[in-house]
Amino acid sequence: AKITDIIHLSNLRTMTPSHTRLTQADLNAIVAREVEDARLIGTPRGITIHVQSEPFSCPIMASKELLATMSSNLLRNAVNYSHDGGRVEVSLEMTQGKVTLRVEDHGIGIPEEHLERIFEEHFRSNNAVRFNPNSSGMGLALVREIVRLHGGEISVTSQLGQGSVFTVTFAQSQ
């Protein structure tokens, strides 16, 4: 998977929002599908995913495929870096013309000195490498590029040993 991730990332980097075939996409529906996939990974380890969102549509102009990749990477990370028996919380809300997706885990967390660097390709904090040796370190770099292409914003807060919260915000399409 690593090579395809690298190619995917370099392709995304050369794109601008005008290159991206955007259609009216429902982020809620896309996230719901990716949550089902992430649950399959979490179930053997007793990890539950709790989704807080109204059954409303969250319309944004987007590439459905890229939003699925973004959601999948955020959810899989949350599961992969959770402790056995842990809980991942996902929320979607629409306020003031914005659609906000939050993915929160209570896992290993990210050392403060590494927070700035986690979106760089191949960068992995030392505790992440120990906890999950098989990751390529490409997921968050892909996520960041996808968010950029959609004119969105991404932020992260984390406490070592307590978990992490990733927040992505997009403009709602009219």
Side-chain angles (χ1 to χ4, degrees), residues 54-119:
E54 301 303 313
F56 53 69
S57 124
C58 292
I60 54 181
M61 291 304 287
S63 152
K64 290 179 180 152
E65 184 192 352
L66 290 180
L67 284 187
T69 300
M70 175 198 82
S71 305
S72 168
N73 276 312
L74 288 173
L75 289 161
R76 283 163 187 257
N77 274 0
V79 169
N80 287 338
Y81 294 107
S82 285
H83 301 292
D84 291 2
R87 176 178 162 110
V88 172
E89 278 142 50
V90 180
S91 71
L92 264 167
E93 58 179 33
M94 282 198 302
T95 47
Q96 299 162 334
K98 290 191 185 311
V99 176
T100 302
L101 168 66
R102 279 177 85 245
V103 178
E104 177 173 6
D105 67 65
H106 304 281
I108 63 171
I110 301 157
E112 198 174 337
E113 66 272 20
H114 293 161
L115 272 179
E116 294 292 299
R117 301 196 53 202
I118 58 168
F119 294 102

Side-chain angles (χ1 to χ4, degrees), residues 1-165:
K2 288 188 182 175
I3 296 297
T4 52
D5 279 349
I6 291 167
I7 293 167
H8 194 177
L9 184 63
S10 60
N11 287 344
L12 287 174
R13 287 204 167 129
T14 62
M15 290 167 72
T16 63
S18 61
H19 291 136
T20 320
R21 273 199 296 279
L22 303 179
T23 55
Q24 182 90 305
D26 176 10
L27 186 58
N28 208 351
I30 291 167
V31 168
R33 266 201 313 276
E34 298 304 327
V35 162
E36 290 311 309
D37 283 357
R39 279 190 173 129
L40 295 176
I41 305 170
T43 299
R45 294 177 48 216
I47 295 165
T48 54
I49 303 178
H50 179 69
V51 181
Q52 292 172 294
S53 84
E54 301 303 313
F56 53 69
S57 124
C58 292
I60 54 181
M61 291 304 287
S63 152
K64 290 179 180 152
E65 184 192 352
L66 290 180
L67 284 187
T69 300
M70 175 198 82
S71 305
S72 168
N73 276 312
L74 288 173
L75 289 161
R76 283 163 187 257
N77 274 0
V79 169
N80 287 338
Y81 294 107
S82 285
H83 301 292
D84 291 2
R87 176 178 162 110
V88 172
E89 278 142 50
V90 180
S91 71
L92 264 167
E93 58 179 33
M94 282 198 302
T95 47
Q96 299 162 334
K98 290 191 185 311
V99 176
T100 302
L101 168 66
R102 279 177 85 245
V103 178
E104 177 173 6
D105 67 65
H106 304 281
I108 63 171
I110 301 157
E112 198 174 337
E113 66 272 20
H114 293 161
L115 272 179
E116 294 292 299
R117 301 196 53 202
I118 58 168
F119 294 102
E120 295 171 19
E121 63 198 286
H122 304 305
F123 178 79
R124 305 191 60 218
S125 64
N126 43 10
N127 65 329
V129 173
R130 282 196 303 272
F131 195 81
N132 180 15
N134 300 324
S135 159
S136 66
M138 299 296 285
L140 288 175
L142 283 169
V143 166
R144 181 178 65 177
E145 286 303 305
I146 291 168
V147 172
R148 175 189 70 81
L149 275 175
H150 289 84
E153 287 170 22
I154 185 163
S155 63
V156 56
T157 58
S158 186
Q159 278 190 303
L160 195 56
Q162 304 281 309
S164 308
V165 183

